[in-house]
Amino acid sequence: MNPLKRLGRRRASLVSLLAVSGLVIPGAATAAPDAPDAVRASTLGAQAAQSGRYFGAAVAAGKLGDGTYTSILDREFTSVTPENEMKWDTTERTRGSFTFGPADQIVNRATARGQRVRGHTLVWHSQLPTWVSSLTDANTLRGVMNNHITTVANHYKGRIHSWDVVNEAFADGGSGQHRSSVFQNLLGDGFIEQAFRTARLADPAAKLCYNDYNIENWSDAKTQGVYRMVRDFTSRGVPIDCVGLQAHFGAGGPPSSFQTTLANFAALGVDVQITELDIAQASATAYTNTVRACMNVARCTGITVWGIRDSDSWRSGENPLLFDRNGAKKSAYQATLTALGGTAAARAAAAAAPTSSPPSLSAAALPTGFSWSSSGALIAPKPDATHHIAGIKDPSVVYYNGKYHVFASTASTAGYNLVYLSFSDWSQAGSATHHYLDRTAIGAGYRAAPEVFYNTSQRLWYLVYQTGNASYSTNADIGNPNGWSAPRNFYSSMPDIIKQNIGNGYWVDMWVICDSADCYLFSSDDNGHLYRSRTTVGQFPNGFTDTVIVARDSNKYALWEASNVYKVQGSDQYLLLVEAIGSDGRRYFRSWTTSSLAGSWTPLAASEGNPFARASNVSFPSGAWTRDISHGEMIRAGYDQTLTIPSCRLQYLYQGMNPGASGDYNSLPWRLGLLTQTNSTC
């Protein structure tokens, strides 16, 4: 989004621009992630760590004296889950009397070796002492449950990465409802929410997970029941951070919809993990397909196998694990390492094993060409006594808690600032109240081109915008316009590489997106360059360095500004959009894809003749109110920092204006409209 000083230029004078030239990708800055010389690890945990994931195992305290067992555990796994030692019948066999010795043995050993610990489990209908299952008074049970959660979580506070707060609460079969249990029968449906809220108070830093089996197939009623619960929890702010899918598979491995299931849960704004993996007969193909499904979903943050050797498994007769009874690696081990991105030797070893394609998805791949239908102008400025606004621009939008939340720039001869509005349906967009953010701690002065997302690990909303620097504010409640913090900057000053290449352009349109390991900040310079900086997820919002030119074009108007980057749901694909100015002087979008945010970009619909979105591939059923398809944002499938979008039936909120408008750039009458994809294949 161009700053205040860029006055009415590049309109009629651009009609004679040359056709868009080819995009140049500087190879030194963007080595492909699958280059032959890429560094690869030789153990499961180390290889998973290269993509920011963990690879864990269920551990039994009674086997920690077995040298073969512990040597594999220490070499291969970066996470441990106590098999039985944290369950209720071990930790509180007698009411109010807690025993932590066996679990402490596992936790202390793991933390000493730098392995994370998954706490399993706080509330489960099984392995309960009889004194709990025999309770008949709801208030008594509620107090007992809350005390158990609080005592166990407090004991391990600061040492547990993730808690399986509630385990296996949904019934098998076609009901999609909770199973019968002492908790369900006395406390009703609300016992799960109560457990999560109690766990958050007891251990605020730990991830809180719901864990279950037979929820891997997307169409199953049980899966849908859990999905509805998680969707409800996230919409109401119930503290849930992750969903565990146990993945106790038969010999055929995961269902074909497994990756879709992982992606759909992740799109709700939670992490997903494979928590108890074992596969009858341990087919290399079945393990490959399972691991690939996780690797293809950015928010699938880790995999745990339920045991180490076949002899350690609860299904030992089916030989379901990665190591045989003697502790030797099986072909499934090599296949798993390869699927995680293992060594060349591992890839060669796995090549001899049976292979198959990854699980198929119900979602469609992005097309190579797009067509759209546009609404009329849905959102217009609402000036008041102190805000003499000419245009509303640069929208960012998320759907959260039953509402669309839209942030946008307000433009006038006096300058730019930000506005917020929310509504339940697009038909209400025009009547929604405008909250001017210059009245908040964000303050007056130049603020423009917002982007909004929820950081799940920090439990904060981020509003990213430009101030002459790349700035941000945070808020615990997106619905409270007065809750935003004062601006802070991502950089101390403009990175040197931008200073060296910006020429007569402007540093604009900052865009943040994260994968499971890193966060990336993209920006433009109105001089044909797209920049990218990187920091780790743990350091964010600090530490942005390694700024590179990720793309350049010899025609600066072809790689102008307003970049958007998204994760495509149910795939390993990312989508890049960049606004260009066409040979007719009108704004439109080009697009590229990649499999890695650190990688190079491949053209998708990237020319005037085959644009991502341009007036030429947009129909206007209500009348052609604009010929510009300019700065905007996709309607996402979720609202978190992964910026995940659907793969089909896309919608894009954009800025357009009356084709006959002219004059001072900051006084142009921009309005917001909605594009809907009309050539979806699903």
Side-chain angles (χ1 to χ4, degrees):
M1 207 292 304
N2 51 308
L4 175 62
K5 293 182 181 179
R6 297 179 338 184
L7 301 179
R9 53 181 176 62
R10 64 177 187 276
R11 298 251 58 92
S13 62
L14 296 177
V15 173
S16 60
L17 279 177
L18 296 175
V20 174
S21 60
L23 183 69
V24 179
I25 304 293
T30 56
D34 294 324
D37 58 349
V39 176
R40 296 180 183 273
S42 59
T43 65
L44 299 169
Q47 187 55 55
Q50 291 198 8
S51 64
R53 295 171 169 86
Y54 66 83
F55 203 97
V59 173
K63 296 179 181 177
L64 293 178
D66 182 326
T68 302
Y69 183 93
T70 55
S71 67
I72 298 171
L73 171 62
D74 295 344
R75 181 186 74 231
E76 298 287 344
F77 300 104
T78 54
S79 174
V80 302
T81 302
E83 228 176 311
N84 293 294
E85 290 78 0
M86 284 187 179
K87 292 172 182 173
W88 202 318
D89 63 354
T90 298
T91 55
E92 194 185 5
R93 183 174 295 275
T94 303
R95 183 174 178 178
S97 179
F98 288 85
T99 301
F100 295 114
D104 283 350
Q105 187 180 359
I106 294 172
V107 173
N108 293 341
R109 189 182 190 282
T111 54
R113 288 163 173 78
Q115 296 164 314
R116 67 173 57 176
V117 181
R118 186 183 190 91
H120 179 77
T121 173
L122 294 172
V123 178
W124 187 29
H125 69 277
S126 187
Q127 291 185 237
L128 274 178
T130 55
W131 70 267
V132 180
S133 55
S134 299
L135 292 173
T136 58
D137 178 72
N139 288 332
T140 300
L141 178 61
R142 184 177 294 106
V144 161
M145 182 183 77
N146 291 344
N147 181 66
H148 180 82
I149 294 169
T150 300
T151 303
V152 176
N154 274 334
H155 180 79
Y156 292 107
K157 186 175 182 178
R159 293 184 287 167
I160 301 296
H161 178 273
S162 308
W163 280 107
D164 286 331
V165 178
V166 177
N167 193 49
E168 301 177 4
F170 279 76
D172 294 320
S175 73
Q177 302 300 312
H178 295 174
R179 70 167 66 245
S180 176
S181 71
V182 64
F183 303 105
Q184 178 68 30
N185 298 343
L186 292 185
L187 303 180
D189 289 347
F191 87 88
I192 302 178
E193 178 176 341
Q194 179 67 52
F196 274 85
R197 292 192 182 279
T198 303
R200 175 67 84 224
L201 291 173
D203 193 355
K207 298 274 191 176
L208 305 184
C209 310
Y210 176 79
N211 192 56
D212 215 326
Y213 67 95
N214 285 354
I215 59 169
E216 295 82 14
N217 185 23
W218 176 243
S219 62
D220 284 355
K222 185 175 182 180
T223 307
Q224 293 298 308
V226 175
Y227 179 84
R228 286 191 297 271
M229 178 192 74
V230 177
R231 183 177 62 191
D232 172 62
F233 279 12
T234 58
S235 71
R236 294 191 293 111
V238 178
I240 183 169
D241 304 304
C242 35
V243 175
L245 296 88
Q246 293 182 12
H248 297 297
F249 293 138
S256 61
S257 64
F258 184 43
Q259 185 173 316
T260 298
T261 303
L262 293 172
N264 285 343
F265 275 111
L268 294 176
V270 296
D271 292 339
V272 290
Q273 295 107 18
I274 299 171
T275 55
E276 303 183 17
L277 177 62
D278 47 29
I279 303 176
Q281 308 313 320
S283 153
T285 299
Y287 266 97
T288 295
N289 289 345
T290 303
V291 175
R292 281 179 178 171
C294 178
M295 296 296 290
N296 287 340
V297 176
R299 296 203 64 163
C300 184
T301 56
I303 299 171
T304 296
V305 289
W306 203 248
I308 294 177
R309 304 164 298 191
D310 286 335
S311 55
D312 305 317
S313 172
W314 69 300
R315 305 169 67 186
S316 59
E318 297 175 290
N319 300 318
L321 295 175
L322 301 176
F323 297 87
D324 68 18
R325 295 167 190 272
N326 297 317
K329 299 172 183 176
K330 298 159 65 173
S331 62
Y333 172 94
Q334 305 295 348
T336 297
L337 190 62
T338 301
L340 290 168
T343 63
R347 294 197 302 275
T355 59
S356 68
S357 300
S360 60
L361 296 176
S362 60
L366 290 174
T368 56
F370 294 84
S371 59
W372 307 88
S373 176
S374 177
S375 71
L378 297 176
I379 300 174
K382 292 188 176 181
D384 64 16
T386 57
H387 296 87
H388 306 292
I389 299 165
I392 186 164
K393 309 182 59 179
D394 320 318
S396 182
V397 55
V398 292
Y399 186 77
Y400 172 75
N401 202 17
K403 290 184 177 181
Y404 292 98
H405 300 264
V406 175
F407 295 80
S409 305
T410 57
S412 70
T413 55
Y416 287 82
N417 208 272
L418 303 175
V419 66
Y420 162 73
L421 57 153
S422 64
F423 45 86
S424 299
D425 186 84
W426 289 106
S427 64
Q428 303 168 350
S431 59
T433 300
H434 287 205
H435 301 275
Y436 297 105
L437 299 186
D438 61 350
R439 294 170 174 168
T440 72
I442 287 176
Y446 179 66
R447 286 94 169 90
E451 177 209 7
V452 68
F453 61 85
Y454 185 67
N455 185 300
T456 53
S457 62
Q458 299 177 17
R459 303 185 185 96
L460 282 174
W461 290 95
Y462 274 78
L463 190 64
V464 177
Y465 48 94
Q466 63 192 48
T467 58
N469 200 324
S471 300
Y472 68 92
S473 296
T474 59
N475 193 343
D477 179 4
I478 192 174
N480 176 16
N482 295 314
W484 293 102
S485 66
R488 285 165 281 183
N489 294 335
F490 288 111
Y491 305 92
S492 58
S493 62
M494 182 187 294
D496 287 342
I497 192 171
I498 302 179
K499 292 178 184 177
Q500 295 159 9
N501 289 276
I502 195 169
N504 293 323
Y506 296 87
W507 186 29
V508 296
D509 298 337
M510 292 71 187
W511 184 269
V512 172
I513 180 173
C514 306
D515 59 23
S516 58
D518 295 305
C519 293
Y520 299 82
L521 195 158
F522 291 81
S523 59
S524 299
D525 67 0
D526 284 358
N527 195 32
H529 302 97
L530 180 67
Y531 302 96
R532 184 193 67 217
S533 303
R534 174 161 51 178
T535 188
T536 65
V537 167
Q539 286 182 295
F540 180 82
N542 302 309
F544 275 108
T545 56
D546 188 30
T547 304
V548 297
I549 299 173
V550 69
R552 59 161 57 97
D553 200 296
S554 56
N555 173 3
K556 67 180 181 180
Y557 299 113
L559 199 72
W560 187 241
E561 59 186 25
S563 68
N564 299 189
V565 187
Y566 302 100
K567 179 72 171 65
V568 181
Q569 187 176 37
S571 75
D572 61 353
Q573 191 174 51
Y574 291 89
L575 174 69
L576 164 67
L577 307 179
V578 180
E579 184 176 347
I581 303 177
S583 56
D584 60 355
R586 299 296 179 179
R587 305 298 186 99
Y588 74 100
F589 278 96
R590 305 170 68 195
S591 62
W592 296 262
T593 60
T594 187
S595 60
S596 168
L597 288 170
S600 56
W601 294 91
T602 300
L604 179 66
S607 68
E608 281 198 78
N610 180 32
F612 179 79
R614 191 169 183 258
S616 58
N617 67 343
V618 176
S619 64
F620 295 88
S622 300
W625 65 279
T626 180
R627 288 174 58 199
D628 291 279
I629 308 297
S630 185
H631 195 145
E633 198 196 339
M634 203 76 76
I635 307 301
R636 301 179 220 158
Y639 48 81
D640 69 6
Q641 70 277 0
T642 65
L643 274 56
T644 300
I645 60 170
S647 61
C648 60
R649 294 188 290 274
L650 301 177
Q651 290 189 299
Y652 194 80
L653 184 64
Y654 73 101
Q655 65 180 33
M657 67 173 176
N658 186 325
S662 62
D664 181 279
Y665 186 79
N666 300 324
S667 298
L668 293 175
W670 294 100
R671 306 290 186 263
L672 304 185
L674 184 68
L675 297 179
T676 299
Q677 186 187 1
T678 56
N679 67 328
S680 291
T681 58
C682 62

